[in-house]
Amino acid sequence: MKTIIAACSQNLSGSRASLQTALRTLLAVPWPSQRDVRSALQLLAVLQWVLSFLLLGTVSLLLLIYLLFTSLWLVPVLYLAWIIFDWDTPEKGGRRLPCLRRWTVWKHFRDYFPVKLVKTHDLSPSHNYIIGSHPHGILCVGAFCNFITGSTGFEELFPGIRSFLTTLAGNFRLPVFREYLMSGGLCPVTRRAIGYLLSQNGTGNAVAIVIGGAAESLSCRPGVTALILKNRKGFVRMALQHGAFLVPSFSFGENDLFRQVVFEEGSWMRSIQRRFQKMIGFAPCVFYGRGLTSVRSRGFLPYARPVTTVVGEPVAVPRVENPSRELVDRYHELYIRALLKLFNENKTKYGLSDTDELHIL
C-alpha cells in the first residue's frame, strides 16, 4: 500500500511540474502587439473588398443556379422575381445604406494603404457636380474609398454634398452583387442613371466618373501618368445639359498598387484585350500584387502604397439643353486645363518629381 501511495504521489508531482512548465512556456510566447492586430485587420478588410469585387457576382449567380435544382428552389425564384420588379432601381439613384458606408471595416481598408482625401476648394450644395476621377488604375481604390465609403471624411470636408460613383452597367445585372453596389452609392455609368442624379435628385449631388475607363487600365503601371481623355467628351456634354459643374480629381499613387504585364500595341494579346473590352465593357488585365501571407510573395492583393486623392477647383458650367460641338470642346479644354493645374500643383507633395508630366491621350 505504501508503495502504491508513493507512486501516486510521484506521478502527481510530475504532472504538477509538467503543468507548470507548460504554463511557463505559454506565458513566454509573445502576444500579438496592437500593431500586429491592426495590420491583420487591415489585411482582412482589403481581402474582403477584393474578393467581393472579383467573385461575389459570379459566385452568387452560380449558387442561385444550383439552388434551382434543390429543395430550396423557391429562394432563387423569389429573388429573380424581385430583380425583375427592381430592375430600374440602379438607374434611379440606387439604394444607399448610410450604415454600410460607415462600416468600421472601411477604416481598416483606408489605413492599409493609407488612402487620404484632400480638399482644395469648397463645393456649394446649391449645385450638382460631375467629378472626373483619374487615373483608373486596376481596381479604382482611391475613387472607391473616397467617394463610396465615409472613411476619409468626404461628407465632413464637403458638407451638404452626396457622392456617387459610376461603374459598368453590367455589374448591376449580377444577383446579390447589384445590392452590394447600390448600398454603397454606386450607379451605372449610363446617361439615364447619371441624368437622374443630376436632374431629378435635387442639388448637392456629386457623381464621380472614372473617365479613362477600361481602356486606361490596360496601360496603368508604376511611374506612368498617362490618361485617356482627349476624345472622352460625353461627360462634358452631360454636364452642359444639366448645368452640372465639372470637378477634376487625381489619385496620386493609384498606379503603384499593382504590377501589370503591359502588352504592346499591335500585339496579339493587346488585340484580345481590346476585343474583350468592346464585347463586355472591361479589359482583362494580367496583373499581380502581394500575397496573403507575405509582402514578398505574389498574389492578388494590392501593395500597401499611399493613395492621396486631391479634389480640385470646380469649373462652372451653364445649362444648355442642346450644346454645340464647339461648346463641348470649349468646356472640355477648360476641364483639361483645371486637371493639369491640379496635377502640377500637387505632384511633388505626393510622391512625384518636379519633372513628371501628365500626358493626355
Side-chain angles (χ1 to χ4, degrees), residues 86 89-90 94-96 172 178-186:
D86 195 54
T89 298
R95 194 165 37 244
R96 293 160 62 98
F172 295 89
R178 70 190 292 275
E179 323 299 340
Y180 178 78
L181 295 177
M182 284 193 291
S183 64
L186 283 107

Side-chain angles (χ1 to χ4, degrees), residues 40-41 69 87-88 112 162 176 196 210 214 216 243 272-273 277 286 294 349 358:
L41 290 174
F69 301 95
W87 190 259
D88 288 336
Y112 170 85
R162 296 179 298 275
V176 181
Y196 180 91
V210 187
E216 191 172 277
I272 291 177
Q273 289 177 315
Q277 178 191 337
V286 181
S294 171
K349 300 177 185 177
L358 185 61

Side-chain angles (χ1 to χ4, degrees), residues 55-328:
L55 298 176
L56 180 59
T58 303
V59 171
S60 299
L61 178 60
L62 293 176
L63 178 60
L64 290 174
I65 293 174
Y66 168 76
L67 290 177
L68 278 173
F69 301 95
T70 69
S71 58
L72 298 175
W73 60 270
L74 189 59
V75 173
V77 169
L78 290 175
Y79 184 69
L80 178 60
W82 162 253
I83 288 182
I84 294 173
F85 173 78
D86 195 54
W87 190 259
D88 288 336
T89 298
E91 304 276 353
K92 296 180 179 180
R95 194 165 37 244
R96 293 160 62 98
L97 293 178
C99 60
L100 183 64
R101 292 169 66 94
R102 294 193 298 266
W103 200 15
T104 304
V105 73
W106 300 131
K107 294 181 180 179
H108 298 302
F109 178 87
R110 172 201 65 194
D111 295 338
Y112 170 85
F113 298 96
V115 180
K116 182 180 178 182
L117 180 65
V118 176
K119 167 186 173 181
T120 61
H121 292 78
D122 291 329
L123 298 182
S124 172
S126 61
H127 298 289
N128 285 325
Y129 303 89
I130 290 181
I131 300 178
S133 179
H134 311 275
H136 183 285
I138 296 293
L139 293 179
C140 303
V141 169
F144 177 86
C145 191
N146 289 299
F147 303 129
I148 291 303
T149 78
S151 61
T152 56
F154 183 93
E155 293 179 353
E156 290 74 25
L157 288 173
F158 302 100
I161 303 297
R162 296 179 298 275
S163 60
F164 298 85
L165 178 64
T166 58
T167 185
L168 294 174
N171 289 330
F172 295 89
R173 305 295 178 251
L174 295 172
V176 181
F177 190 44
R178 70 190 292 275
E179 323 299 340
Y180 178 78
L181 295 177
M182 284 193 291
S183 64
L186 283 107
C187 63
V189 61
T190 62
R191 291 184 180 276
R192 183 184 176 192
I194 298 172
Y196 180 91
L197 293 173
L198 297 178
S199 63
Q200 301 183 45
N201 200 42
T203 59
N205 300 295
V207 183
I209 303 176
V210 187
I211 298 169
E216 191 172 277
S217 67
L218 291 176
S219 301
C220 75
R221 58 186 184 273
V224 175
T225 50
L227 305 179
I228 295 181
L229 180 58
K230 187 176 294 184
N231 295 317
R232 300 288 175 99
K233 300 179 181 180
F235 73 103
V236 178
R237 182 174 295 278
M238 289 210 67
L240 285 163
Q241 289 173 340
H242 299 283
F245 288 14
L246 291 168
V247 183
S249 73
F250 195 93
S251 293
F252 294 91
E254 182 73 45
N255 286 345
D256 298 332
L257 303 181
F258 292 96
R259 302 291 184 269
Q260 181 179 188
V261 180
V262 178
F263 301 101
E264 298 297 328
E265 289 291 345
S267 64
W268 64 275
M269 279 299 297
R270 177 53 72 95
S271 64
I272 291 177
Q273 289 177 315
R274 295 292 188 193
R275 288 180 183 178
F276 265 91
Q277 178 191 337
K278 291 179 179 179
M279 287 189 297
I280 59 180
F282 72 92
C285 301
V286 181
F287 67 91
Y288 64 90
R290 60 156 290 179
L292 181 61
T293 58
S294 171
V295 178
R296 297 179 180 85
S297 62
R298 291 187 178 183
F300 55 87
L301 295 179
Y303 292 107
R305 303 284 189 272
V307 178
T308 303
T309 301
V310 184
V311 179
E313 181 178 5
V315 177
V317 176
R319 185 171 183 176
V320 181
E321 187 173 350
N322 294 304
S324 63
R325 179 180 297 180
E326 291 75 18
L327 190 62
V328 171

